[in-house]
PDB file of all heavy atoms in Angstrom:
ATOM      1  N   ALA L   1      11.770  -5.922 -11.103  1.00  0.00           N
ATOM      2  CA  ALA L   1      12.112  -6.417 -12.433  1.00  0.00           C
ATOM      3  C   ALA L   1      13.285  -5.638 -13.021  1.00  0.00           C
ATOM      4  O   ALA L   1      14.183  -6.224 -13.643  1.00  0.00           O
ATOM      5  CB  ALA L   1      10.898  -6.326 -13.351  1.00  0.00           C
ATOM      6  N   LEU L   2      13.294  -4.317 -12.828  1.00  0.00           N
ATOM      7  CA  LEU L   2      14.403  -3.519 -13.341  1.00  0.00           C
ATOM      8  C   LEU L   2      15.692  -3.843 -12.586  1.00  0.00           C
ATOM      9  O   LEU L   2      16.773  -3.904 -13.178  1.00  0.00           O
ATOM     10  CB  LEU L   2      14.080  -2.029 -13.229  1.00  0.00           C
ATOM     11  CG  LEU L   2      15.129  -1.065 -13.805  1.00  0.00           C
ATOM     12  CD1 LEU L   2      15.414  -1.364 -15.270  1.00  0.00           C
ATOM     13  CD2 LEU L   2      14.687   0.383 -13.629  1.00  0.00           C
ATOM     14  N   THR L   3      15.584  -4.077 -11.290  1.00  0.00           N
ATOM     15  CA  THR L   3      16.745  -4.500 -10.511  1.00  0.00           C
ATOM     16  C   THR L   3      17.318  -5.788 -11.074  1.00  0.00           C
ATOM     17  O   THR L   3      18.535  -5.982 -11.129  1.00  0.00           O
ATOM     18  CB  THR L   3      16.361  -4.687  -9.032  1.00  0.00           C
ATOM     19  OG1 THR L   3      15.945  -3.437  -8.495  1.00  0.00           O
ATOM     20  CG2 THR L   3      17.526  -5.214  -8.212  1.00  0.00           C
ATOM     21  N   GLY L   4      16.441  -6.668 -11.526  1.00  0.00           N
ATOM     22  CA  GLY L   4      16.902  -7.911 -12.140  1.00  0.00           C
ATOM     23  C   GLY L   4      17.700  -7.683 -13.404  1.00  0.00           C
ATOM     24  O   GLY L   4      18.610  -8.462 -13.719  1.00  0.00           O
ATOM     25  N   VAL L   5      17.384  -6.630 -14.148  1.00  0.00           N
ATOM     26  CA  VAL L   5      18.156  -6.307 -15.356  1.00  0.00           C
ATOM     27  C   VAL L   5      19.553  -5.848 -14.966  1.00  0.00           C
ATOM     28  O   VAL L   5      20.560  -6.247 -15.565  1.00  0.00           O
ATOM     29  CB  VAL L   5      17.437  -5.248 -16.204  1.00  0.00           C
ATOM     30  CG1 VAL L   5      18.161  -5.062 -17.543  1.00  0.00           C
ATOM     31  CG2 VAL L   5      15.979  -5.624 -16.465  1.00  0.00           C
ATOM     32  N   TYR L   6      19.630  -4.994 -13.941  1.00  0.00           N
ATOM     33  CA  TYR L   6      20.928  -4.554 -13.434  1.00  0.00           C
ATOM     34  C   TYR L   6      21.738  -5.732 -12.898  1.00  0.00           C
ATOM     35  O   TYR L   6      22.961  -5.765 -13.021  1.00  0.00           O
ATOM     36  CB  TYR L   6      20.738  -3.556 -12.285  1.00  0.00           C
ATOM     37  CG  TYR L   6      20.503  -2.121 -12.671  1.00  0.00           C
ATOM     38  CD1 TYR L   6      19.218  -1.587 -12.717  1.00  0.00           C
ATOM     39  CD2 TYR L   6      21.564  -1.260 -12.933  1.00  0.00           C
ATOM     40  CE1 TYR L   6      18.984  -0.260 -13.026  1.00  0.00           C
ATOM     41  CE2 TYR L   6      21.355   0.077 -13.241  1.00  0.00           C
ATOM     42  CZ  TYR L   6      20.064   0.575 -13.285  1.00  0.00           C
ATOM     43  OH  TYR L   6      19.853   1.897 -13.589  1.00  0.00           O
ATOM     44  N   ASN L   7      21.066  -6.664 -12.262  1.00  0.00           N
ATOM     45  CA  ASN L   7      21.732  -7.731 -11.532  1.00  0.00           C
ATOM     46  C   ASN L   7      22.700  -8.535 -12.397  1.00  0.00           C
ATOM     47  O   ASN L   7      23.735  -9.018 -11.925  1.00  0.00           O
ATOM     48  CB  ASN L   7      20.673  -8.682 -10.948  1.00  0.00           C
ATOM     49  CG  ASN L   7      21.249  -9.666  -9.957  1.00  0.00           C
ATOM     50  OD1 ASN L   7      22.123  -9.329  -9.171  1.00  0.00           O
ATOM     51  ND2 ASN L   7      20.754 -10.889  -9.985  1.00  0.00           N
ATOM     52  N   ILE L   8      22.402  -8.643 -13.689  1.00  0.00           N
ATOM     53  CA  ILE L   8      23.254  -9.422 -14.591  1.00  0.00           C
ATOM     54  C   ILE L   8      24.646  -8.805 -14.690  1.00  0.00           C
ATOM     55  O   ILE L   8      25.623  -9.513 -14.968  1.00  0.00           O
ATOM     56  CB  ILE L   8      22.611  -9.515 -15.992  1.00  0.00           C
ATOM     57  CG1 ILE L   8      21.237 -10.189 -15.899  1.00  0.00           C
ATOM     58  CG2 ILE L   8      23.495 -10.279 -16.967  1.00  0.00           C
ATOM     59  CD1 ILE L   8      21.281 -11.599 -15.351  1.00  0.00           C
ATOM     60  N   LEU L   9      24.775  -7.514 -14.439  1.00  0.00           N
ATOM     61  CA  LEU L   9      26.079  -6.866 -14.510  1.00  0.00           C
ATOM     62  C   LEU L   9      27.084  -7.512 -13.570  1.00  0.00           C
ATOM     63  O   LEU L   9      28.291  -7.485 -13.831  1.00  0.00           O
ATOM     64  CB  LEU L   9      25.952  -5.373 -14.180  1.00  0.00           C
ATOM     65  CG  LEU L   9      25.118  -4.528 -15.143  1.00  0.00           C
ATOM     66  CD1 LEU L   9      24.887  -3.138 -14.560  1.00  0.00           C
ATOM     67  CD2 LEU L   9      25.801  -4.432 -16.506  1.00  0.00           C
ATOM     68  N   ARG L  10      26.611  -8.112 -12.498  1.00  0.00           N
ATOM     69  CA  ARG L  10      27.503  -8.709 -11.520  1.00  0.00           C
ATOM     70  C   ARG L  10      27.680 -10.214 -11.745  1.00  0.00           C
ATOM     71  O   ARG L  10      28.238 -10.907 -10.896  1.00  0.00           O
ATOM     72  CB  ARG L  10      26.987  -8.448 -10.095  1.00  0.00           C
ATOM     73  CG  ARG L  10      26.987  -6.970  -9.722  1.00  0.00           C
ATOM     74  CD  ARG L  10      26.948  -6.755  -8.217  1.00  0.00           C
ATOM     75  NE  ARG L  10      25.731  -7.258  -7.616  1.00  0.00           N
ATOM     76  CZ  ARG L  10      25.694  -8.279  -6.761  1.00  0.00           C
ATOM     77  NH1 ARG L  10      26.792  -8.927  -6.446  1.00  0.00           N
ATOM     78  NH2 ARG L  10      24.545  -8.662  -6.242  1.00  0.00           N
ATOM     79  N   TYR L  11      27.220 -10.707 -12.861  1.00  0.00           N
ATOM     80  CA  TYR L  11      27.333 -12.133 -13.164  1.00  0.00           C
ATOM     81  C   TYR L  11      28.688 -12.456 -13.799  1.00  0.00           C
ATOM     82  O   TYR L  11      29.338 -11.615 -14.426  1.00  0.00           O
ATOM     83  CB  TYR L  11      26.212 -12.567 -14.110  1.00  0.00           C
ATOM     84  CG  TYR L  11      24.908 -12.923 -13.434  1.00  0.00           C
ATOM     85  CD1 TYR L  11      24.462 -12.238 -12.313  1.00  0.00           C
ATOM     86  CD2 TYR L  11      24.112 -13.942 -13.930  1.00  0.00           C
ATOM     87  CE1 TYR L  11      23.264 -12.570 -11.704  1.00  0.00           C
ATOM     88  CE2 TYR L  11      22.905 -14.284 -13.340  1.00  0.00           C
ATOM     89  CZ  TYR L  11      22.484 -13.594 -12.217  1.00  0.00           C
ATOM     90  OH  TYR L  11      21.296 -13.929 -11.615  1.00  0.00           O
ATOM     91  N   ASP L  12      29.062 -13.716 -13.646  1.00  0.00           N
ATOM     92  CA  ASP L  12      30.246 -14.247 -14.301  1.00  0.00           C
ATOM     93  C   ASP L  12      30.148 -14.026 -15.809  1.00  0.00           C
ATOM     94  O   ASP L  12      29.120 -14.267 -16.427  1.00  0.00           O
ATOM     95  CB  ASP L  12      30.324 -15.746 -13.992  1.00  0.00           C
ATOM     96  CG  ASP L  12      31.586 -16.390 -14.512  1.00  0.00           C
ATOM     97  OD1 ASP L  12      32.480 -15.667 -14.959  1.00  0.00           O
ATOM     98  OD2 ASP L  12      31.663 -17.625 -14.468  1.00  0.00           O
ATOM     99  N   GLY L  13      31.223 -13.522 -16.396  1.00  0.00           N
ATOM    100  CA  GLY L  13      31.242 -13.252 -17.828  1.00  0.00           C
ATOM    101  C   GLY L  13      30.986 -11.806 -18.167  1.00  0.00           C
ATOM    102  O   GLY L  13      31.312 -11.363 -19.265  1.00  0.00           O
ATOM    103  N   ILE L  14      30.372 -11.068 -17.247  1.00  0.00           N
ATOM    104  CA  ILE L  14      30.152  -9.627 -17.473  1.00  0.00           C
ATOM    105  C   ILE L  14      31.161  -8.884 -16.596  1.00  0.00           C
ATOM    106  O   ILE L  14      32.330  -8.826 -16.926  1.00  0.00           O
ATOM    107  CB  ILE L  14      28.686  -9.233 -17.181  1.00  0.00           C
ATOM    108  CG1 ILE L  14      27.733 -10.136 -17.990  1.00  0.00           C
ATOM    109  CG2 ILE L  14      28.433  -7.777 -17.553  1.00  0.00           C
ATOM    110  CD1 ILE L  14      27.868 -10.025 -19.503  1.00  0.00           C
ATOM    111  N   TYR L  15      30.727  -8.330 -15.460  1.00  0.00           N
ATOM    112  CA  TYR L  15      31.662  -7.646 -14.576  1.00  0.00           C
ATOM    113  C   TYR L  15      31.757  -8.327 -13.214  1.00  0.00           C
ATOM    114  O   TYR L  15      32.254  -7.743 -12.260  1.00  0.00           O
ATOM    115  CB  TYR L  15      31.230  -6.186 -14.378  1.00  0.00           C
ATOM    116  CG  TYR L  15      31.189  -5.387 -15.657  1.00  0.00           C
ATOM    117  CD1 TYR L  15      29.987  -4.907 -16.165  1.00  0.00           C
ATOM    118  CD2 TYR L  15      32.349  -5.116 -16.367  1.00  0.00           C
ATOM    119  CE1 TYR L  15      29.934  -4.175 -17.344  1.00  0.00           C
ATOM    120  CE2 TYR L  15      32.313  -4.383 -17.545  1.00  0.00           C
ATOM    121  CZ  TYR L  15      31.108  -3.917 -18.026  1.00  0.00           C
ATOM    122  OH  TYR L  15      31.071  -3.197 -19.177  1.00  0.00           O
ATOM    123  N   GLY L  16      31.270  -9.562 -13.114  1.00  0.00           N
ATOM    124  CA  GLY L  16      31.221 -10.218 -11.834  1.00  0.00           C
ATOM    125  C   GLY L  16      32.222 -11.348 -11.698  1.00  0.00           C
ATOM    126  O   GLY L  16      33.289 -11.330 -12.290  1.00  0.00           O
ATOM    127  N   ASN L  17      31.853 -12.361 -10.897  1.00  0.00           N
ATOM    128  CA  ASN L  17      32.722 -13.453 -10.517  1.00  0.00           C
ATOM    129  C   ASN L  17      33.893 -12.893  -9.703  1.00  0.00           C
ATOM    130  O   ASN L  17      33.822 -11.783  -9.171  1.00  0.00           O
ATOM    131  CB  ASN L  17      33.191 -14.233 -11.747  1.00  0.00           C
ATOM    132  CG  ASN L  17      33.785 -15.583 -11.377  1.00  0.00           C
ATOM    133  OD1 ASN L  17      34.985 -15.751 -11.434  1.00  0.00           O
ATOM    134  ND2 ASN L  17      32.953 -16.527 -10.969  1.00  0.00           N
ATOM    135  N   GLU L  18      34.974 -13.645  -9.576  1.00  0.00           N
ATOM    136  CA  GLU L  18      36.076 -13.178  -8.746  1.00  0.00           C
ATOM    137  C   GLU L  18      36.700 -11.890  -9.280  1.00  0.00           C
ATOM    138  O   GLU L  18      36.957 -10.963  -8.538  1.00  0.00           O
ATOM    139  CB  GLU L  18      37.164 -14.251  -8.632  1.00  0.00           C
ATOM    140  CG  GLU L  18      36.734 -15.503  -7.892  1.00  0.00           C
ATOM    141  CD  GLU L  18      36.372 -16.622  -8.867  1.00  0.00           C
ATOM    142  OE1 GLU L  18      35.931 -16.311  -9.999  1.00  0.00           O
ATOM    143  OE2 GLU L  18      36.531 -17.791  -8.481  1.00  0.00           O
ATOM    144  N   ALA L  19      36.955 -11.867 -10.585  1.00  0.00           N
ATOM    145  CA  ALA L  19      37.680 -10.713 -11.121  1.00  0.00           C
ATOM    146  C   ALA L  19      37.579 -10.627 -12.631  1.00  0.00           C
ATOM    147  O   ALA L  19      38.549 -10.306 -13.306  1.00  0.00           O
ATOM    148  CB  ALA L  19      39.147 -10.793 -10.707  1.00  0.00           C
ATOM    149  N   THR L  20      36.421 -10.878 -13.196  1.00  0.00           N
ATOM    150  CA  THR L  20      36.285 -10.908 -14.653  1.00  0.00           C
ATOM    151  C   THR L  20      36.870  -9.675 -15.332  1.00  0.00           C
ATOM    152  O   THR L  20      37.668  -9.804 -16.274  1.00  0.00           O
ATOM    153  CB  THR L  20      34.822 -11.100 -15.061  1.00  0.00           C
ATOM    154  OG1 THR L  20      34.354 -12.350 -14.549  1.00  0.00           O
ATOM    155  CG2 THR L  20      34.661 -11.099 -16.565  1.00  0.00           C
ATOM    156  N   PRO L  21      36.534  -8.435 -14.928  1.00  0.00           N
ATOM    157  CA  PRO L  21      37.080  -7.291 -15.661  1.00  0.00           C
ATOM    158  C   PRO L  21      38.585  -7.121 -15.472  1.00  0.00           C
ATOM    159  O   PRO L  21      39.265  -6.624 -16.370  1.00  0.00           O
ATOM    160  CB  PRO L  21      36.306  -6.102 -15.079  1.00  0.00           C
ATOM    161  CG  PRO L  21      35.850  -6.554 -13.738  1.00  0.00           C
ATOM    162  CD  PRO L  21      35.591  -8.022 -13.876  1.00  0.00           C
ATOM    163  N   LEU L  22      39.112  -7.548 -14.316  1.00  0.00           N
ATOM    164  CA  LEU L  22      40.549  -7.424 -14.091  1.00  0.00           C
ATOM    165  C   LEU L  22      41.321  -8.451 -14.906  1.00  0.00           C
ATOM    166  O   LEU L  22      42.429  -8.189 -15.387  1.00  0.00           O
ATOM    167  CB  LEU L  22      40.881  -7.602 -12.606  1.00  0.00           C
ATOM    168  CG  LEU L  22      40.098  -6.765 -11.595  1.00  0.00           C
ATOM    169  CD1 LEU L  22      40.751  -6.879 -10.211  1.00  0.00           C
ATOM    170  CD2 LEU L  22      39.993  -5.310 -12.011  1.00  0.00           C
ATOM    171  N   TRP L  23      40.754  -9.632 -15.065  1.00  0.00           N
ATOM    172  CA  TRP L  23      41.428 -10.685 -15.826  1.00  0.00           C
ATOM    173  C   TRP L  23      41.526 -10.360 -17.304  1.00  0.00           C
ATOM    174  O   TRP L  23      42.385 -10.905 -18.001  1.00  0.00           O
ATOM    175  CB  TRP L  23      40.690 -12.011 -15.643  1.00  0.00           C
ATOM    176  CG  TRP L  23      40.967 -12.688 -14.337  1.00  0.00           C
ATOM    177  CD1 TRP L  23      42.120 -12.634 -13.604  1.00  0.00           C
ATOM    178  CD2 TRP L  23      40.078 -13.540 -13.617  1.00  0.00           C
ATOM    179  NE1 TRP L  23      41.994 -13.391 -12.474  1.00  0.00           N
ATOM    180  CE2 TRP L  23      40.758 -13.961 -12.453  1.00  0.00           C
ATOM    181  CE3 TRP L  23      38.780 -13.990 -13.838  1.00  0.00           C
ATOM    182  CZ2 TRP L  23      40.174 -14.810 -11.521  1.00  0.00           C
ATOM    183  CZ3 TRP L  23      38.196 -14.833 -12.910  1.00  0.00           C
ATOM    184  CH2 TRP L  23      38.887 -15.239 -11.765  1.00  0.00           C
ATOM    185  N   GLU L  24      40.678  -9.488 -17.813  1.00  0.00           N
ATOM    186  CA  GLU L  24      40.715  -9.208 -19.255  1.00  0.00           C
ATOM    187  C   GLU L  24      42.064  -8.640 -19.677  1.00  0.00           C
ATOM    188  O   GLU L  24      42.527  -8.873 -20.790  1.00  0.00           O
ATOM    189  CB  GLU L  24      39.579  -8.263 -19.659  1.00  0.00           C
ATOM    190  CG  GLU L  24      39.401  -8.171 -21.151  1.00  0.00           C
ATOM    191  CD  GLU L  24      37.989  -8.487 -21.616  1.00  0.00           C
ATOM    192  OE1 GLU L  24      37.212  -9.103 -20.858  1.00  0.00           O
ATOM    193  OE2 GLU L  24      37.661  -8.120 -22.734  1.00  0.00           O
ATOM    194  N   ASP L  25      42.729  -7.917 -18.763  1.00  0.00           N
ATOM    195  CA  ASP L  25      44.056  -7.398 -19.095  1.00  0.00           C
ATOM    196  C   ASP L  25      45.081  -8.508 -19.257  1.00  0.00           C
ATOM    197  O   ASP L  25      46.141  -8.295 -19.851  1.00  0.00           O
ATOM    198  CB  ASP L  25      44.518  -6.404 -18.023  1.00  0.00           C
ATOM    199  CG  ASP L  25      44.572  -4.982 -18.545  1.00  0.00           C
ATOM    200  OD1 ASP L  25      43.700  -4.622 -19.356  1.00  0.00           O
ATOM    201  OD2 ASP L  25      45.485  -4.224 -18.154  1.00  0.00           O
ATOM    202  N   THR L  26      44.805  -9.710 -18.717  1.00  0.00           N
ATOM    203  CA  THR L  26      45.760 -10.810 -18.842  1.00  0.00           C
ATOM    204  C   THR L  26      45.762 -11.415 -20.240  1.00  0.00           C
ATOM    205  O   THR L  26      46.605 -12.261 -20.532  1.00  0.00           O
ATOM    206  CB  THR L  26      45.482 -11.909 -17.797  1.00  0.00           C
ATOM    207  OG1 THR L  26      44.237 -12.566 -18.075  1.00  0.00           O
ATOM    208  CG2 THR L  26      45.441 -11.334 -16.391  1.00  0.00           C
ATOM    209  N   ALA L  27      44.852 -10.983 -21.083  1.00  0.00           N
ATOM    210  CA  ALA L  27      44.873 -11.386 -22.492  1.00  0.00           C
ATOM    211  C   ALA L  27      45.742 -10.446 -23.312  1.00  0.00           C
ATOM    212  O   ALA L  27      45.729 -10.499 -24.544  1.00  0.00           O
ATOM    213  CB  ALA L  27      43.452 -11.423 -23.054  1.00  0.00           C
ATOM    214  N   THR L  28      46.514  -9.587 -22.639  1.00  0.00           N
ATOM    215  CA  THR L  28      47.371  -8.591 -23.284  1.00  0.00           C
ATOM    216  C   THR L  28      48.781  -8.694 -22.709  1.00  0.00           C
ATOM    217  O   THR L  28      49.011  -9.394 -21.723  1.00  0.00           O
ATOM    218  CB  THR L  28      46.835  -7.167 -23.040  1.00  0.00           C
ATOM    219  OG1 THR L  28      47.206  -6.740 -21.707  1.00  0.00           O
ATOM    220  CG2 THR L  28      45.324  -7.103 -23.192  1.00  0.00           C
ATOM    221  N   PRO L  29      49.736  -7.962 -23.264  1.00  0.00           N
ATOM    222  CA  PRO L  29      51.083  -7.949 -22.678  1.00  0.00           C
ATOM    223  C   PRO L  29      51.175  -7.151 -21.387  1.00  0.00           C
ATOM    224  O   PRO L  29      52.281  -6.904 -20.891  1.00  0.00           O
ATOM    225  CB  PRO L  29      51.949  -7.333 -23.786  1.00  0.00           C
ATOM    226  CG  PRO L  29      51.006  -6.561 -24.625  1.00  0.00           C
ATOM    227  CD  PRO L  29      49.699  -7.292 -24.577  1.00  0.00           C
ATOM    228  N   ASN L  30      50.046  -6.757 -20.834  1.00  0.00           N
ATOM    229  CA  ASN L  30      50.057  -6.098 -19.526  1.00  0.00           C
ATOM    230  C   ASN L  30      50.189  -7.080 -18.377  1.00  0.00           C
ATOM    231  O   ASN L  30      50.763  -6.748 -17.338  1.00  0.00           O
ATOM    232  CB  ASN L  30      48.768  -5.290 -19.312  1.00  0.00           C
ATOM    233  CG  ASN L  30      48.756  -3.979 -20.065  1.00  0.00           C
ATOM    234  OD1 ASN L  30      49.766  -3.576 -20.628  1.00  0.00           O
ATOM    235  ND2 ASN L  30      47.611  -3.321 -20.083  1.00  0.00           N
ATOM    236  N   ALA L  31      49.607  -8.274 -18.503  1.00  0.00           N
ATOM    237  CA  ALA L  31      49.491  -9.151 -17.340  1.00  0.00           C
ATOM    238  C   ALA L  31      49.396 -10.609 -17.763  1.00  0.00           C
ATOM    239  O   ALA L  31      49.210 -10.934 -18.946  1.00  0.00           O
ATOM    240  CB  ALA L  31      48.275  -8.743 -16.509  1.00  0.00           C
ATOM    241  N   TYR L  32      49.484 -11.486 -16.747  1.00  0.00           N
ATOM    242  CA  TYR L  32      49.553 -12.933 -16.971  1.00  0.00           C
ATOM    243  C   TYR L  32      48.600 -13.642 -16.017  1.00  0.00           C
ATOM    244  O   TYR L  32      48.598 -13.369 -14.813  1.00  0.00           O
ATOM    245  CB  TYR L  32      50.989 -13.397 -16.733  1.00  0.00           C
ATOM    246  CG  TYR L  32      51.239 -14.873 -16.915  1.00  0.00           C
ATOM    247  CD1 TYR L  32      50.917 -15.524 -18.104  1.00  0.00           C
ATOM    248  CD2 TYR L  32      51.855 -15.617 -15.903  1.00  0.00           C
ATOM    249  CE1 TYR L  32      51.184 -16.883 -18.278  1.00  0.00           C
ATOM    250  CE2 TYR L  32      52.133 -16.964 -16.072  1.00  0.00           C
ATOM    251  CZ  TYR L  32      51.793 -17.596 -17.257  1.00  0.00           C
ATOM    252  OH  TYR L  32      52.059 -18.931 -17.418  1.00  0.00           O
ATOM    253  N   ASN L  33      47.806 -14.547 -16.559  1.00  0.00           N
ATOM    254  CA  ASN L  33      46.850 -15.335 -15.777  1.00  0.00           C
ATOM    255  C   ASN L  33      47.362 -16.779 -15.773  1.00  0.00           C
ATOM    256  O   ASN L  33      47.019 -17.569 -16.646  1.00  0.00           O
ATOM    257  CB  ASN L  33      45.459 -15.221 -16.405  1.00  0.00           C
ATOM    258  CG  ASN L  33      44.373 -15.886 -15.600  1.00  0.00           C
ATOM    259  OD1 ASN L  33      44.616 -16.831 -14.866  1.00  0.00           O
ATOM    260  ND2 ASN L  33      43.150 -15.395 -15.752  1.00  0.00           N
ATOM    261  N   TYR L  34      48.194 -17.098 -14.780  1.00  0.00           N
ATOM    262  CA  TYR L  34      48.898 -18.387 -14.777  1.00  0.00           C
ATOM    263  C   TYR L  34      47.955 -19.575 -14.638  1.00  0.00           C
ATOM    264  O   TYR L  34      48.275 -20.688 -15.076  1.00  0.00           O
ATOM    265  CB  TYR L  34      49.933 -18.424 -13.649  1.00  0.00           C
ATOM    266  CG  TYR L  34      49.334 -18.399 -12.259  1.00  0.00           C
ATOM    267  CD1 TYR L  34      49.003 -19.579 -11.598  1.00  0.00           C
ATOM    268  CD2 TYR L  34      49.109 -17.193 -11.615  1.00  0.00           C
ATOM    269  CE1 TYR L  34      48.449 -19.550 -10.330  1.00  0.00           C
ATOM    270  CE2 TYR L  34      48.554 -17.157 -10.355  1.00  0.00           C
ATOM    271  CZ  TYR L  34      48.229 -18.335  -9.705  1.00  0.00           C
ATOM    272  OH  TYR L  34      47.663 -18.296  -8.455  1.00  0.00           O
ATOM    273  N   SER L  35      46.773 -19.379 -14.032  1.00  0.00           N
ATOM    274  CA  SER L  35      45.851 -20.496 -13.818  1.00  0.00           C
ATOM    275  C   SER L  35      44.848 -20.653 -14.951  1.00  0.00           C
ATOM    276  O   SER L  35      44.032 -21.568 -14.920  1.00  0.00           O
ATOM    277  CB  SER L  35      45.092 -20.295 -12.501  1.00  0.00           C
ATOM    278  OG  SER L  35      44.155 -19.235 -12.614  1.00  0.00           O
ATOM    279  N   ASP L  36      44.922 -19.765 -15.939  1.00  0.00           N
ATOM    280  CA  ASP L  36      43.952 -19.754 -17.042  1.00  0.00           C
ATOM    281  C   ASP L  36      42.523 -19.609 -16.522  1.00  0.00           C
ATOM    282  O   ASP L  36      41.586 -20.200 -17.080  1.00  0.00           O
ATOM    283  CB  ASP L  36      44.073 -21.010 -17.901  1.00  0.00           C
ATOM    284  CG  ASP L  36      43.439 -20.847 -19.280  1.00  0.00           C
ATOM    285  OD1 ASP L  36      43.308 -19.691 -19.747  1.00  0.00           O
ATOM    286  OD2 ASP L  36      43.057 -21.854 -19.886  1.00  0.00           O
ATOM    287  N   ALA L  37      42.349 -18.819 -15.471  1.00  0.00           N
ATOM    288  CA  ALA L  37      41.018 -18.596 -14.911  1.00  0.00           C
ATOM    289  C   ALA L  37      40.083 -18.060 -15.983  1.00  0.00           C
ATOM    290  O   ALA L  37      40.381 -17.087 -16.668  1.00  0.00           O
ATOM    291  CB  ALA L  37      41.091 -17.608 -13.739  1.00  0.00           C
ATOM    292  N   LYS L  38      38.945 -18.763 -16.142  1.00  0.00           N
ATOM    293  CA  LYS L  38      37.910 -18.423 -17.115  1.00  0.00           C
ATOM    294  C   LYS L  38      38.414 -18.414 -18.550  1.00  0.00           C
ATOM    295  O   LYS L  38      37.793 -17.832 -19.438  1.00  0.00           O
ATOM    296  CB  LYS L  38      37.254 -17.072 -16.768  1.00  0.00           C
ATOM    297  CG  LYS L  38      36.629 -17.054 -15.391  1.00  0.00           C
ATOM    298  CD  LYS L  38      35.629 -18.169 -15.205  1.00  0.00           C
ATOM    299  CE  LYS L  38      35.096 -18.226 -13.778  1.00  0.00           C
ATOM    300  NZ  LYS L  38      34.196 -19.379 -13.569  1.00  0.00           N
ATOM    301  N   GLY L  39      39.555 -19.042 -18.795  1.00  0.00           N
ATOM    302  CA  GLY L  39      40.062 -19.182 -20.153  1.00  0.00           C
ATOM    303  C   GLY L  39      40.806 -17.974 -20.678  1.00  0.00           C
ATOM    304  O   GLY L  39      41.141 -17.935 -21.868  1.00  0.00           O
ATOM    305  N   PHE L  40      41.137 -17.004 -19.817  1.00  0.00           N
ATOM    306  CA  PHE L  40      41.778 -15.797 -20.327  1.00  0.00           C
ATOM    307  C   PHE L  40      43.184 -16.058 -20.848  1.00  0.00           C
ATOM    308  O   PHE L  40      43.626 -15.422 -21.806  1.00  0.00           O
ATOM    309  CB  PHE L  40      41.797 -14.709 -19.246  1.00  0.00           C
ATOM    310  CG  PHE L  40      40.516 -13.937 -19.149  1.00  0.00           C
ATOM    311  CD1 PHE L  40      39.616 -14.175 -18.124  1.00  0.00           C
ATOM    312  CD2 PHE L  40      40.198 -12.970 -20.091  1.00  0.00           C
ATOM    313  CE1 PHE L  40      38.431 -13.460 -18.034  1.00  0.00           C
ATOM    314  CE2 PHE L  40      39.017 -12.254 -20.014  1.00  0.00           C
ATOM    315  CZ  PHE L  40      38.125 -12.504 -18.983  1.00  0.00           C
ATOM    316  N   ASN L  41      43.910 -16.998 -20.238  1.00  0.00           N
ATOM    317  CA  ASN L  41      45.246 -17.249 -20.757  1.00  0.00           C
ATOM    318  C   ASN L  41      45.210 -18.052 -22.048  1.00  0.00           C
ATOM    319  O   ASN L  41      46.123 -17.961 -22.871  1.00  0.00           O
ATOM    320  CB  ASN L  41      46.121 -17.959 -19.727  1.00  0.00           C
ATOM    321  CG  ASN L  41      47.588 -17.836 -20.087  1.00  0.00           C
ATOM    322  OD1 ASN L  41      48.122 -16.733 -20.161  1.00  0.00           O
ATOM    323  ND2 ASN L  41      48.243 -18.957 -20.356  1.00  0.00           N
ATOM    324  N   SER L  42      44.159 -18.833 -22.248  1.00  0.00           N
ATOM    325  CA  SER L  42      44.003 -19.494 -23.545  1.00  0.00           C
ATOM    326  C   SER L  42      43.817 -18.455 -24.643  1.00  0.00           C
ATOM    327  O   SER L  42      44.333 -18.605 -25.755  1.00  0.00           O
ATOM    328  CB  SER L  42      42.809 -20.458 -23.516  1.00  0.00           C
ATOM    329  OG  SER L  42      43.055 -21.554 -22.667  1.00  0.00           O
ATOM    330  N   ILE L  43      43.074 -17.413 -24.329  1.00  0.00           N
ATOM    331  CA  ILE L  43      42.907 -16.317 -25.279  1.00  0.00           C
ATOM    332  C   ILE L  43      44.247 -15.639 -25.523  1.00  0.00           C
ATOM    333  O   ILE L  43      44.634 -15.363 -26.666  1.00  0.00           O
ATOM    334  CB  ILE L  43      41.864 -15.309 -24.758  1.00  0.00           C
ATOM    335  CG1 ILE L  43      40.488 -15.969 -24.649  1.00  0.00           C
ATOM    336  CG2 ILE L  43      41.801 -14.078 -25.663  1.00  0.00           C
ATOM    337  CD1 ILE L  43      39.451 -15.123 -23.931  1.00  0.00           C
TER     338      ILE L  43
END
């Protein structure tokens, strides 16, 4: 059950999916998300 609590950390929207934490920088003048993956370029 506790492992299940940890498991969410690797889910889409938290720190999982292809590159959720890396894409967050594309909402800044550091980087560009040309495909708007997960809506980061809309942000």
Side-chain angles (χ1 to χ4, degrees):
L2 183 56
T3 297
V5 188
Y6 277 98
N7 191 38
I8 300 300
L9 296 170
R10 295 200 296 114
Y11 275 36
D12 185 9
I14 306 298
Y15 299 114
N17 195 254
E18 294 100 331
T20 299
L22 309 191
W23 282 329
E24 192 125 342
D25 249 36
T26 68
T28 79
N30 283 351
Y32 180 56
N33 186 333
Y34 66 90
S35 71
D36 199 23
K38 302 305 175 184
F40 277 104
N41 198 61
S42 292
I43 296 170

